[in-house]
Amino acid sequence: MNKKKTKKEDISKINLPSPQTKRWVINRKVLVVEAVRTGLITLEEVCQRYSLSVEEFIHWQKTIDRYGPYGLRITRIKNYRGYTSKDKEAN
């Protein structure tokens, strides 16, 4: 993933993921968050377009702010939440 900041000029509605997106890779999540932040699309439009809850979008946004884009990786989420292999064995 390119480490440079996404600029408003780099994002257009044409670049947004398809409304039929089912697989949310890091790049797509970051693009959608940046599109909302730059005013290209509203939070309400994003939630409707992609069938996302506001809570899920806010989670993406907070994770990016706190850990950067790579914090959105599923394997990283477990680390950030303090989940360990010992927790898995206990369940």
Side-chain angles (χ1 to χ4, degrees):
M1 172 180 283
N2 192 344
K3 291 187 179 185
K4 76 172 187 165
K5 290 277 187 185
T6 306
K7 297 178 184 170
K8 188 171 183 175
E9 306 86 54
D10 297 336
I11 304 173
S12 72
K13 287 196 177 187
I14 295 170
N15 296 1
L16 288 175
S18 162
Q20 290 79 32
T21 297
K22 300 293 181 212
R23 187 167 179 265
W24 283 97
V25 296
I26 295 169
N27 293 354
R28 291 179 187 149
K29 291 177 183 180
V30 170
L31 188 61
V32 170
V33 168
E34 289 302 318
V36 172
R37 286 183 170 167
T38 59
L40 180 66
I41 190 169
T42 66
L43 174 59
E44 294 79 19
E45 289 173 308
V46 164
C47 291
Q48 183 177 16
R49 178 179 171 117
Y50 299 113
S51 299
L52 296 174
S53 67
V54 172
E55 292 80 13
E56 185 171 15
F57 178 86
I58 298 298
H59 172 72
W60 291 357
Q61 194 172 35
K62 286 181 178 180
T63 300
I64 291 168
D65 290 344
R66 187 165 183 187
Y67 303 110
Y70 288 106
L72 294 169
R73 295 177 115 173
I74 296 299
T75 54
R76 294 286 179 213
I77 291 171
K78 292 176 186 175
N79 293 342
Y80 299 141
R81 292 184 180 166
Y83 183 86
T84 65
S85 60
K86 288 181 183 179
D87 295 329
K88 186 177 180 181
E89 292 170 5
N91 291 329

